Amino acid sequence: MIPTAFEYFRPANLSEALALLEQYKDEAKLLAGGHSLIPLMKLRLAQPQYVIDLGGVKELSYIRESGEHLLIGAMTRHVDVETSEMLRQRCPLLAETAHRIGDVQVRNMGTIGGSLAHADPAADYPAAILALGAELRAVSTKGERWIRAEDFFVDMLTTALQPGEILVEVKVPALGPRTGTAYVKVAQKASGFALCGVAVVLAVDPNGVCQDVAVGITGIAPKAYRARAVEEALRGRALDASVIANASAKATEGIDPLEDLHASAEYRAHLARVWCRRAIEQARESV
Amino acid sequence: MGRTIEVTINGLLYRHDVEPRLLLVHYLRDVIGLTGTHIGCETSLCGACTVLFNGAAVKSCTLFAVQADGAEITTIEGLAENGQLHPIQEGFWMKHGLQCGYCTPGMILAAHQLLSRSPDPSEEEIRRGIEGNLCRCTGYQHIIEAIRYAAEKIRVTREGGARSK
Ligand SMILES: Cc1cc2nc3c(=O)[nH]c(=O)nc-3n(C[C@H](O)[C@H](O)[C@H](O)COP(=O)(O)OP(=O)(O)OC[C@H]3O[C@@H](n4cnc5c(N)ncnc54)[C@H](O)[C@@H]3O)c2cc1C
Ligand code: FES
Ligand code: FES
């Protein structure tokens, strides 16, 4: 369990980090909380020649309000998202999702940027990021761009980030009026990773009719996805039990569920349907 | 390709040249000689290697020693003061919170983190606070009682201290 040798850099700010990344490109790996990268390096599944530690780049660790949005720096630890009073008030879905990640030691080290950039199919944040319609800011020595959450996750462990780009910020909308949210999860016992995680953002009118809804599902497929068929079956309808049941039955429509030693494809699809229903019910209660 | 790091461990400042790939747990055990920090799984799952890193509980098998440059680390050896067990250590002793003891240093430091964030935890909070630590012997119940004992002891000591002022 000893990684291969590498050269280590600890830049003090973002521009130094970008310059190092530009210089070493594919030979280099960014190190954020290290709680995905270091396990891979110990197994020698990752063997970077250069490791660029973002631990000293303090400017990437913040949670700020910006009008009707909240901005979260990429190096913000899971524990800080979980306990942020501002997020608990204005974006409880994100705080709740962070709260459900791994265990306390993992939350003390892991970062939101590292989790999103790693794009583990069983990670929690992607479900919430999709349901919130978040936007992610990536920076390179050539400039910056915003990436929509839906365009960000490309495949298992693959994102839209290009070589030389650093994910620096996550932008999420604040909770709107008459809106409820929920994140529910079935955890794999040993690691805590999601066998199935469902995030819901739900807006209803005073008569209980669904005005808008977004559902993000993780753990089921090679990448987290928006469950469009579920959303369509809810929008414009009064959210009674049969409407919710009917919609949740579509949780894996168009999706090929993963199969591994933790769960068969059939069981994963079952989990997605059941927990989708529970997430919608919980979001409706929280309006 | 050594790199010089300065780390404060249990209040003492150390300076060493280390290879970047050296894991923090190996630094603590093999370089410093503090073998109270155990290695259980080496795969970030068991929590036996838990130490406090700038006050936060972390799994020291999942950090490089170079990441600890400038940091303050507390290991199990740093908890007792003047030969007197820390209340959490005392709790594990009084409430039989261990059998083989392999998981105990990590459990105690995870409990330390828990009590620093919520001094009066419910049973549910205690269970959640030690979620990252596995014990193959006790069945956890005595560990939970040990942590509750410690919370109570710390509270009484603090109130006693406040009264005597
Ligand atoms: C025991 C255990 C249990 C866990 N349980 C869960 C769980 O239940 N749910 C869950 O979601 N996660 C879980 N995790 C994963 C954890 O949340 C990781 O912290 C997270 O996935 C990665 O974040 P990190 O900051 O540690 O990133 P790192 O491991 O440092 O980096 C991960 C990858 O992202 C790249 N990267 C990092 N930051 C950036 C950036 N800003 N821009 C571009 N690329 C970047 C790195 O180069 C690397 O390839 C668990 C991990 C462990 C060890
Ligand atoms: S040895 Fe570090 S978590 Fe098991
Ligand atoms: S006391 Fe033996 S592992 Fe916990």
Side-chain angles (χ1 to χ4, degrees), chain A residues 17 57 70 108 126-127 149 157 186 204 217 263:
Chain A
V57 183
L70 297 147
N108 279 341
L157 305 177
V186 183
V204 295
I217 301 187

Side-chain angles (χ1 to χ4, degrees), chain A residues 1 3 42 99 103 105 108, chain B residues 42 59 61 113 117 128:
Chain A
M1 299 298 279
K42 292 204 291 186
H99 180 63
D103 51 52
Q105 291 95 324
N108 279 341
Chain B
E42 255 198 304
K59 294 173 180 173
C61 73
Q113 165 83 91
R117 286 183 184 160
R128 221 178 126 68

Side-chain angles (χ1 to χ4, degrees), chain A residues 1-10 31-36 38-39 41-44 51 53 79 82 98-109 190-192, chain B residues 1 3 19-23 26 41-47 50 53 55-59 61-64 66-69 106 110 113 117 128-134:
Chain A
M1 299 298 279
I2 310 285
T4 49
F6 56 85
E7 198 171 333
Y8 174 83
F9 299 97
R10 193 181 169 85
L31 175 67
H35 272 48
S36 292
I38 296 176
M41 289 175 68
K42 292 204 291 186
L43 294 167
R44 302 203 171 186
V51 168
D53 184 358
V79 63
E82 174 189 13
H99 180 63
R100 301 301 309 275
I101 296 174
D103 51 52
V104 62
Q105 291 95 324
V106 171
R107 294 194 296 278
N108 279 341
M109 283 306 293
S191 69
Chain B
M1 277 193 298
R3 192 182 166 94
E19 226 192 324
R21 64 170 162 171
L22 181 70
L23 296 173
H26 292 141
C41 64
E42 255 198 304
T43 54
S44 321
L45 291 170
C46 76
T50 299
F53 180 85
V58 299
K59 294 173 180 173
C61 73
T62 315
L63 259 81
F64 293 119
V66 284
Q67 288 175 276
D69 188 15
Q113 165 83 91
R117 286 183 184 160
R128 221 178 126 68
I130 56 169
E131 216 169 27
N133 297 70
L134 300 179

